[in-house]
Amino acid sequence: MNIAFFLLPKNDVVAVTMDYTLRQTLERMEYHRYTAVPIIGKDGVYVGTVTEGDLLWYMKNSGGKVTFETASKFLLKDVPLKMDIKPVLIDENMEGLISLAKVQNFVPVVDDIGRFIGIVRRSQIIEYCEKLVTPELQANNENR
């Protein structure tokens, strides 16, 4: 099995860049109902992943400077990322992908020079495994 089988290509992924404002980032996450999105550099390199928690903690710790009303004046590049969402290389083995998917909702996928090429969602891996296991479970239940 190859990681590319599970890949959601970057054209279909909601992502942001470091020059997004906090407001743009929040609105994009809200619109798509995501709690985290990848951050892509201008050169296409995967930079990290921003979460709702990162944004909320930044606002909380701003001493009242950053509010929902002023969020359009602050850039994402100033927000510290609390979670280290690690990417995998496109040619990584499935064990590497699964070990990250156990602790991340999605796994960013990059090429050999770090350019973002898409994500693998944990739910896709689980759905695939469910299809493999379901016929076996049905057979076991019929034999009881």
Side-chain angles (χ1 to χ4, degrees):
M1 180 68 50
N2 186 308
I3 287 178
F5 177 79
F6 297 104
L7 185 71
L8 181 64
K10 69 179 174 185
N11 292 344
D12 297 332
V13 175
V14 174
V16 295
T17 63
M18 292 299 258
D19 59 354
Y20 266 56
T21 67
L22 268 61
R23 183 178 187 100
Q24 289 171 317
T25 304
L26 284 165
E27 287 176 348
R28 188 150 206 185
M29 292 170 79
E30 178 184 30
Y31 178 80
H32 293 283
R33 306 181 130 255
Y34 292 145
T35 59
V37 292
I39 304 169
I40 311 305
K42 289 181 179 160
D43 53 359
V45 171
Y46 171 72
V47 174
T49 294
V50 63
T51 67
E52 287 176 331
D54 295 330
L55 300 173
L56 291 171
W57 283 112
Y58 182 71
M59 293 171 82
K60 179 191 176 289
N61 294 329
S62 74
K65 289 190 308 184
V66 184
T67 65
F68 290 109
E69 291 77 27
T70 64
S72 61
K73 296 178 178 154
F74 296 89
L75 297 178
L76 184 57
K77 69 180 180 179
D78 298 321
V79 177
L81 304 178
K82 306 278 188 205
M83 305 270 306
D84 183 22
I85 305 296
K86 297 189 182 325
V88 295
L89 291 170
I90 187 65
D91 58 358
E92 176 74 49
N93 61 37
M94 287 303 293
E95 291 81 14
L97 174 66
I98 290 170
S99 69
L100 286 176
K102 287 190 304 188
V103 295
Q104 301 175 185
N105 285 334
F106 65 87
V107 180
V109 181
V110 297
D111 65 13
D112 58 351
I113 59 172
R115 281 187 306 236
F116 180 76
I117 57 176
I119 64 170
V120 173
R121 292 178 286 189
R122 180 171 46 198
S123 61
Q124 290 176 290
I125 297 169
I126 293 170
E127 287 171 10
Y128 176 78
C129 292
E130 179 183 41
K131 288 176 186 172
L132 293 177
V133 173
T134 300
E136 185 178 313
L137 291 175
Q138 289 173 346
N140 287 340
N141 286 337
E142 289 172 3
N143 292 333
R144 288 185 184 176

